[in-house]
Amino acid sequence: MSEIQRDSYRAQPGGWRNRLVSLHEQLQQQAGIGLGTPWQGDPVPAPSWVAYNASLARELGWPADWRQLQHEGVSALDVWSGNAVWPGMKPIATVYSGHQFGVWAGQLGDGRALLLGEMDTAAGLQEFQLKGAGRTPYSRMGDGRAVLRSSIREYLCSEAMHGLGIPTTRALTLTASPLPVRREVMETAAVVTRVAPSFLRFGHFEHFAYCGEAGATQALQALVDFVVEHHYPELKDEADRPMALLRTVIERTAELIAAWQSVGFCHGVMNTDNMSILGLTIDYGPFGFLDGFDPEHICNHSDSNGRYSWNNQPQVAYWNLRALANALVPLMPEVKRDPAPVLEALQQFETAFPRAMTARWRTKLGLLTEEVDDGRLAIDLLRLMAQHRVDFTIAFRRLCEFRSDVAAADPLNAPIRDLFLDRDAFDQWAGRYAQRLHREGSVDAERCDRMQAVNPLYVLRNHMAETAIRRAQSGDFSEVRRLEALLQQPCQAQPGAEADAGFPPTWAQSIEVSCSS
């Protein structure tokens, strides 16, 4: 970090700005409609550090003592707890709308999120957002708070996903307060600082497409231009920016969902307001990683119809992209006469997702070349795993050490083979897999190294998060910090973490997560 950058961070202002606030003010003047409401967080009593992401801070180029920095008597702890701001920060709660569980929910917005501002960093321009900073104009009768339980889950999972190489918002800090917050039971408050290039969602575009206010179409166009100019500059010269943006978001979303599926991640609440315009994983609530493989697994206890099961995620992503396309139609008047261009754009997903998914399966299977039946090979393995509820993460990790130079029934293949009750069925599949490996001249040792680099030993299973939560609720944050470090290198064996790579305990089956999680 250069001295100029260091001084910019230490001595506010200079580092902080908020281009979204500038756009908001411009639209209010020109179109009479804004992007939200400038707002301040509600202070919490006695904030304290639960976790702080030193790895992310280094990526941002911040000094080692970033948590001790103060300006005009305002400490970093107060800023990241929502109790104060530094000069240059212009907090805003943004407004958006969306479909929730497939039903139009109307106006939503940052009910408990607050965008503090953005800063140029070594990782590029990043926005900083608090989650749980108190009630905003969009809280819809809620308290605007987040509880320690859900905040630990979000903090750990956003960093776990980053460790897996999956596009995601990041978590910088987690602070706690003894402030009582009622959910199903009385809990205590917490605030997560989230970091991303942008927190704009499909729902922001839906809001201006359907709110019916004068100036909404102008605001929608301005939002498209803002996203293109600041986040997709390669689209600047496109004659039809809305269509170009749609096509790009379709591609990014297809890649994202394929990444989710490949590690057994279930988001749990894929509403349109929880879909990032940048193709990031956003809003960690009732998420879950698969244990025993069930393609119809529902991780969200509130999802009574299974809309957001693991198997449905690609279809729901396509549904949400259709909603985004509909929101952009007001900027494409020719579509009312001929919808073919939009339909054609949406059809991209029908090829982009299978292509991305097959590429992911090839990588997980250690394949270097492409054959037309590779997707079928992966799907047939998944069917076997589903039949026997084989642990998703453990199965792919053990497959890394599969020996193609001996028979499937050889004792050397027992670790993977013994996961399947129907040994004959596994042997038949394994024979096909071995033949596929032989056709490309695969070397088992080299393939094992490739596969172990992408098939994780550790994912944030519910029981791991639950253990950290229970300890934290009694004042012990050490397990949160241990898991954060563990999940930063999920594919690398780490001493003392053998249990984290093992099967979940029996009691884990009773854990339920819902939208309040």
Side-chain angles (χ1 to χ4, degrees), residues 222-250:
L223 194 58
V224 168
D225 291 340
F226 179 88
V227 170
V228 167
E229 290 170 13
H230 296 297
H231 302 293
Y232 294 111
E234 68 275 14
L235 305 180
K236 277 186 178 183
D237 296 329
E238 292 286 342
D240 188 344
R241 280 189 174 185
M243 180 63 73
L245 177 62
L246 176 62
R247 288 185 177 277
T248 303
V249 175
I250 288 170

Short mmCIF file of all heavy atoms in Angstrom, two decimals, residues 222-250:
data_model
loop_
_atom_site.label_atom_id
_atom_site.label_comp_id
_atom_site.label_asym_id
_atom_site.label_seq_id
_atom_site.Cartn_x
_atom_site.Cartn_y
_atom_site.Cartn_z
N ALA A 222 -31.13 5.30 -16.53
CA ALA A 222 -29.94 5.79 -15.83
C ALA A 222 -29.25 4.67 -15.06
O ALA A 222 -28.01 4.61 -14.99
CB ALA A 222 -30.33 6.92 -14.88
N LEU A 223 -30.05 3.76 -14.50
CA LEU A 223 -29.47 2.64 -13.75
C LEU A 223 -28.74 1.69 -14.69
O LEU A 223 -27.64 1.21 -14.37
CB LEU A 223 -30.58 1.90 -13.00
CG LEU A 223 -30.15 0.91 -11.92
CD1 LEU A 223 -29.29 1.60 -10.86
CD2 LEU A 223 -31.37 0.26 -11.27
N VAL A 224 -29.32 1.42 -15.85
CA VAL A 224 -28.64 0.59 -16.84
C VAL A 224 -27.32 1.24 -17.26
O VAL A 224 -26.27 0.59 -17.31
CB VAL A 224 -29.55 0.36 -18.07
CG1 VAL A 224 -28.74 -0.24 -19.23
CG2 VAL A 224 -30.72 -0.55 -17.71
N ASP A 225 -27.37 2.54 -17.56
CA ASP A 225 -26.15 3.25 -17.97
C ASP A 225 -25.09 3.22 -16.87
O ASP A 225 -23.90 3.05 -17.14
CB ASP A 225 -26.49 4.69 -18.34
CG ASP A 225 -27.31 4.80 -19.63
OD1 ASP A 225 -27.29 3.84 -20.42
OD2 ASP A 225 -27.97 5.83 -19.82
N PHE A 226 -25.53 3.38 -15.63
CA PHE A 226 -24.61 3.37 -14.48
C PHE A 226 -23.90 2.01 -14.39
O PHE A 226 -22.67 1.95 -14.23
CB PHE A 226 -25.39 3.64 -13.20
CG PHE A 226 -24.56 3.63 -11.95
CD1 PHE A 226 -23.93 4.77 -11.51
CD2 PHE A 226 -24.43 2.46 -11.20
CE1 PHE A 226 -23.16 4.76 -10.34
CE2 PHE A 226 -23.67 2.44 -10.04
CZ PHE A 226 -23.03 3.59 -9.61
N VAL A 227 -24.68 0.94 -14.49
CA VAL A 227 -24.10 -0.40 -14.37
C VAL A 227 -23.14 -0.68 -15.52
O VAL A 227 -22.05 -1.22 -15.33
CB VAL A 227 -25.22 -1.46 -14.31
CG1 VAL A 227 -24.64 -2.86 -14.43
CG2 VAL A 227 -26.00 -1.33 -13.01
N VAL A 228 -23.54 -0.30 -16.71
CA VAL A 228 -22.68 -0.53 -17.88
C VAL A 228 -21.38 0.26 -17.76
O VAL A 228 -20.28 -0.29 -17.94
CB VAL A 228 -23.43 -0.17 -19.18
CG1 VAL A 228 -22.45 -0.10 -20.36
CG2 VAL A 228 -24.53 -1.18 -19.47
N GLU A 229 -21.49 1.52 -17.44
CA GLU A 229 -20.32 2.38 -17.42
C GLU A 229 -19.34 2.03 -16.30
O GLU A 229 -18.12 2.13 -16.47
CB GLU A 229 -20.75 3.84 -17.32
CG GLU A 229 -21.41 4.33 -18.61
CD GLU A 229 -22.07 5.69 -18.45
OE1 GLU A 229 -21.80 6.35 -17.43
OE2 GLU A 229 -22.84 6.08 -19.34
N HIS A 230 -19.87 1.58 -15.16
CA HIS A 230 -19.00 1.34 -14.01
C HIS A 230 -18.64 -0.13 -13.81
O HIS A 230 -17.63 -0.42 -13.16
CB HIS A 230 -19.63 1.90 -12.75
CG HIS A 230 -19.80 3.39 -12.77
ND1 HIS A 230 -18.73 4.25 -12.85
CD2 HIS A 230 -20.91 4.17 -12.75
CE1 HIS A 230 -19.16 5.50 -12.86
NE2 HIS A 230 -20.48 5.49 -12.81
N HIS A 231 -19.46 -1.04 -14.32
CA HIS A 231 -19.22 -2.46 -14.05
C HIS A 231 -19.08 -3.32 -15.30
O HIS A 231 -18.49 -4.40 -15.23
CB HIS A 231 -20.34 -3.00 -13.16
CG HIS A 231 -20.47 -2.27 -11.86
ND1 HIS A 231 -19.51 -2.32 -10.88
CD2 HIS A 231 -21.44 -1.43 -11.39
CE1 HIS A 231 -19.88 -1.57 -9.86
NE2 HIS A 231 -21.03 -1.02 -10.14
N TYR A 232 -19.62 -2.86 -16.41
CA TYR A 232 -19.48 -3.59 -17.67
C TYR A 232 -19.01 -2.62 -18.76
O TYR A 232 -19.69 -2.41 -19.76
CB TYR A 232 -20.80 -4.22 -18.09
CG TYR A 232 -21.31 -5.32 -17.18
CD1 TYR A 232 -22.45 -5.14 -16.39
CD2 TYR A 232 -20.65 -6.54 -17.13
CE1 TYR A 232 -22.92 -6.16 -15.58
CE2 TYR A 232 -21.12 -7.57 -16.32
CZ TYR A 232 -22.24 -7.37 -15.54
OH TYR A 232 -22.71 -8.38 -14.73
N PRO A 233 -17.85 -2.02 -18.58
CA PRO A 233 -17.40 -1.00 -19.55
C PRO A 233 -17.24 -1.54 -20.97
O PRO A 233 -17.28 -0.77 -21.93
CB PRO A 233 -16.06 -0.53 -18.98
CG PRO A 233 -15.62 -1.62 -18.07
CD PRO A 233 -16.87 -2.22 -17.51
N GLU A 234 -17.09 -2.85 -21.11
CA GLU A 234 -16.97 -3.43 -22.45
C GLU A 234 -18.26 -3.29 -23.25
O GLU A 234 -18.27 -3.50 -24.47
CB GLU A 234 -16.58 -4.91 -22.36
CG GLU A 234 -17.63 -5.84 -21.78
CD GLU A 234 -17.64 -5.90 -20.26
OE1 GLU A 234 -17.00 -5.03 -19.63
OE2 GLU A 234 -18.27 -6.82 -19.71
N LEU A 235 -19.36 -2.93 -22.57
CA LEU A 235 -20.65 -2.76 -23.25
C LEU A 235 -20.95 -1.30 -23.59
O LEU A 235 -22.03 -1.00 -24.11
CB LEU A 235 -21.78 -3.32 -22.37
CG LEU A 235 -21.65 -4.77 -21.91
CD1 LEU A 235 -22.84 -5.16 -21.05
CD2 LEU A 235 -21.51 -5.71 -23.09
N LYS A 236 -20.04 -0.40 -23.28
CA LYS A 236 -20.31 1.04 -23.45
C LYS A 236 -20.73 1.42 -24.86
O LYS A 236 -21.59 2.29 -25.05
CB LYS A 236 -19.07 1.85 -23.06
CG LYS A 236 -18.92 2.11 -21.58
CD LYS A 236 -17.74 3.05 -21.33
CE LYS A 236 -17.58 3.36 -19.86
NZ LYS A 236 -16.47 4.32 -19.62
N ASP A 237 -20.14 0.78 -25.85
CA ASP A 237 -20.39 1.18 -27.23
C ASP A 237 -21.51 0.39 -27.88
O ASP A 237 -21.75 0.54 -29.09
CB ASP A 237 -19.10 1.03 -28.06
CG ASP A 237 -18.00 1.96 -27.57
OD1 ASP A 237 -18.33 3.06 -27.08
OD2 ASP A 237 -16.82 1.57 -27.68
N GLU A 238 -22.18 -0.45 -27.10
CA GLU A 238 -23.30 -1.22 -27.66
C GLU A 238 -24.47 -0.29 -27.98
O GLU A 238 -24.84 0.57 -27.16
CB GLU A 238 -23.75 -2.29 -26.66
CG GLU A 238 -22.75 -3.41 -26.43
CD GLU A 238 -22.67 -4.36 -27.61
OE1 GLU A 238 -23.61 -4.37 -28.43
OE2 GLU A 238 -21.68 -5.10 -27.69
N ALA A 239 -25.06 -0.47 -29.16
CA ALA A 239 -26.19 0.38 -29.56
C ALA A 239 -27.40 0.15 -28.67
O ALA A 239 -28.16 1.07 -28.39
CB ALA A 239 -26.54 0.11 -31.02
N ASP A 240 -27.60 -1.09 -28.24
CA ASP A 240 -28.74 -1.44 -27.39
C ASP A 240 -28.19 -1.91 -26.05
O ASP A 240 -27.98 -3.10 -25.82
CB ASP A 240 -29.56 -2.54 -28.06
CG ASP A 240 -30.88 -2.82 -27.33
OD1 ASP A 240 -31.02 -2.39 -26.16
OD2 ASP A 240 -31.76 -3.47 -27.92
N ARG A 241 -27.95 -0.95 -25.17
CA ARG A 241 -27.34 -1.28 -23.88
C ARG A 241 -28.19 -2.24 -23.04
O ARG A 241 -27.66 -3.17 -22.43
CB ARG A 241 -27.05 -0.01 -23.09
CG ARG A 241 -25.79 0.71 -23.53
CD ARG A 241 -25.46 1.84 -22.57
NE ARG A 241 -24.18 2.46 -22.88
CZ ARG A 241 -23.61 3.40 -22.13
NH1 ARG A 241 -24.24 3.84 -21.04
NH2 ARG A 241 -22.45 3.91 -22.47
N PRO A 242 -29.51 -2.03 -22.94
CA PRO A 242 -30.31 -2.96 -22.13
C PRO A 242 -30.19 -4.40 -22.60
O PRO A 242 -30.04 -5.32 -21.79
CB PRO A 242 -31.74 -2.42 -22.28
CG PRO A 242 -31.57 -0.98 -22.59
CD PRO A 242 -30.33 -0.90 -23.42
N MET A 243 -30.23 -4.62 -23.91
CA MET A 243 -30.11 -5.98 -24.43
C MET A 243 -28.71 -6.53 -24.19
O MET A 243 -28.55 -7.70 -23.80
CB MET A 243 -30.42 -6.00 -25.92
CG MET A 243 -30.32 -7.38 -26.56
SD MET A 243 -31.50 -8.56 -25.86
CE MET A 243 -33.02 -7.92 -26.61
N ALA A 244 -27.69 -5.72 -24.37
CA ALA A 244 -26.32 -6.17 -24.13
C ALA A 244 -26.12 -6.53 -22.67
O ALA A 244 -25.46 -7.53 -22.34
CB ALA A 244 -25.33 -5.09 -24.56
N LEU A 245 -26.69 -5.71 -21.78
CA LEU A 245 -26.59 -5.99 -20.36
C LEU A 245 -27.29 -7.31 -20.03
O LEU A 245 -26.76 -8.14 -19.28
CB LEU A 245 -27.20 -4.85 -19.55
CG LEU A 245 -27.22 -5.04 -18.02
CD1 LEU A 245 -25.81 -5.17 -17.47
CD2 LEU A 245 -27.96 -3.89 -17.35
N LEU A 246 -28.49 -7.50 -20.56
CA LEU A 246 -29.24 -8.72 -20.31
C LEU A 246 -28.42 -9.95 -20.73
O LEU A 246 -28.31 -10.92 -19.97
CB LEU A 246 -30.57 -8.69 -21.05
CG LEU A 246 -31.43 -9.96 -20.95
CD1 LEU A 246 -31.83 -10.23 -19.51
CD2 LEU A 246 -32.66 -9.83 -21.85
N ARG A 247 -27.87 -9.91 -21.91
CA ARG A 247 -27.10 -11.06 -22.41
C ARG A 247 -25.89 -11.35 -21.50
O ARG A 247 -25.57 -12.51 -21.23
CB ARG A 247 -26.64 -10.80 -23.85
CG ARG A 247 -27.75 -10.87 -24.88
CD ARG A 247 -27.21 -10.72 -26.30
NE ARG A 247 -28.25 -10.86 -27.30
CZ ARG A 247 -28.69 -12.03 -27.77
NH1 ARG A 247 -28.17 -13.16 -27.31
NH2 ARG A 247 -29.62 -12.07 -28.71
N THR A 248 -25.24 -10.31 -21.05
CA THR A 248 -24.07 -10.50 -20.20
C THR A 248 -24.46 -11.07 -18.84
O THR A 248 -23.79 -11.97 -18.31
CB THR A 248 -23.33 -9.17 -20.01
OG1 THR A 248 -22.96 -8.65 -21.30
CG2 THR A 248 -22.08 -9.34 -19.17
N VAL A 249 -25.55 -10.57 -18.27
CA VAL A 249 -26.00 -11.07 -16.98
C VAL A 249 -26.46 -12.52 -17.09
O VAL A 249 -26.25 -13.32 -16.17
CB VAL A 249 -27.13 -10.17 -16.41
CG1 VAL A 249 -27.69 -10.76 -15.12
CG2 VAL A 249 -26.60 -8.77 -16.15
N ILE A 250 -27.06 -12.88 -18.21
CA ILE A 250 -27.46 -14.27 -18.43
C ILE A 250 -26.24 -15.18 -18.38
O ILE A 250 -26.24 -16.23 -17.71
CB ILE A 250 -28.20 -14.41 -19.78
CG1 ILE A 250 -29.60 -13.80 -19.68
CG2 ILE A 250 -28.30 -15.89 -20.19
CD1 ILE A 250 -30.32 -13.67 -21.01
#
